[in-house]
């Protein structure tokens, strides 16, 4: 069941997200130089991601929903609507690793697309990484009909 986020959901979302994103950040760490990785995550990725999750869930500009199974939150999705630009963004999504591979990410993605469409927006965007840790996310978005735009981001520590 997909329901609107409630403040009481926050801790469950943080914990499932950190579990879900562990392989992603292992892949990112293997991809980036150690100096650049530690520049982005000086206190560890978990600290910065927890802060990002909390800020996203508590933002007035972002809408968040949770999906539950047997009264336990197993995933969440957040969207941002940019009506003036006719652009909806899937801003953040995670599914607990114990429940991955069951179509939950696809259900959340489809739900978000419907919400964006209901707002009268005709373009939806989602960002994800090109590293091996993001492969399941890319597969979910491609299955949902998203088209990749090859973009390269280059970083240099000064």
């Amino acid at each position: 069941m997909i329901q609107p986020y409630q403040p009481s959901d926050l801790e469950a979302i943080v914990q499932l997200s950190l579990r879900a994103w562990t392989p992603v950040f292992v892949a990112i760490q293997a991809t980036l130089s150690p100096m650049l990785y530690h520049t982005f995550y000086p206190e560890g990725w978990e600290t910065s991601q927890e802060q990002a999750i909390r800020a996203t869930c508590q933002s007035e500009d972002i809408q968040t929903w949770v999906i539950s199974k047997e009264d336990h939150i197993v995933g969440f999705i957040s969207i941002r609507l940019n009506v003036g630009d006719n652009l909806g963004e899937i801003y953040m999504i995670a599914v607990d690793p114990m429940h991955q591979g069951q179509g939950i990410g696809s259900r959340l993605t489809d739900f978000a697309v419907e919400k964006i469409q209901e707002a009268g927006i005709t373009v939806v965007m989602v960002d994800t990484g090109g590293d091996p840790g993001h492969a399941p996310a890319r597969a979910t978005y491609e299955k949902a009909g998203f088209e990749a735009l090859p973009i390269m981001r280059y970083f240099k520590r000064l």
Side-chain angles (χ1 to χ4, degrees):
M1 179 183 318
I2 299 175
Q3 299 177 325
Y5 163 81
Q6 300 296 319
S8 60
D9 301 331
L10 185 58
E11 293 310 314
I13 290 172
V14 167
Q15 295 310 310
L16 78 85
S17 298
L18 294 178
R19 288 191 302 274
W21 293 334
T22 295
V24 169
F25 282 94
V26 168
I28 290 172
Q29 186 171 14
T31 303
L32 293 176
S33 71
M35 182 172 48
L36 193 54
Y37 180 83
H38 292 294
T39 298
F40 286 143
Y41 311 109
E43 298 175 33
W45 71 266
E46 297 92 337
T47 300
S48 63
Q49 283 306 114
E50 180 174 345
Q51 292 169 352
I53 295 162
R54 290 180 185 282
T56 296
C57 290
Q58 296 169 343
S59 173
E60 292 182 13
D61 298 326
I62 297 173
Q63 300 172 28
T64 299
W65 291 270
V66 299
I67 188 166
S68 300
K69 254 183 147 177
E70 299 172 8
D71 294 328
H72 291 89
I73 295 173
V74 297
F76 84 105
I77 194 160
S78 298
I79 65 170
R80 183 169 31 197
L81 304 176
N82 300 303
V83 177
D85 293 332
N86 192 36
L87 181 66
E89 179 181 3
I90 295 177
Y91 190 74
M92 197 175 276
I93 181 173
V95 176
D96 192 303
M98 294 180 62
H99 298 276
Q100 291 176 0
Q102 301 175 19
I104 294 170
S106 292
R107 284 189 57 212
L108 286 169
T109 300
D110 292 344
F111 177 85
V113 168
E114 288 174 20
K115 289 294 183 185
I116 291 167
Q117 193 171 27
E118 286 172 8
I121 294 173
T122 60
V123 179
V124 181
M125 175 188 79
V126 61
D127 284 330
T128 194
D131 58 274
H134 282 96
R138 290 191 306 273
T140 297
Y141 305 139
E142 290 168 10
K143 179 180 171 187
F146 283 80
E147 190 175 319
L149 171 65
I151 296 176
M152 297 300 295
R153 286 189 181 159
Y154 290 89
F155 298 92
K156 177 180 178 180
R157 184 165 185 238
L158 304 176

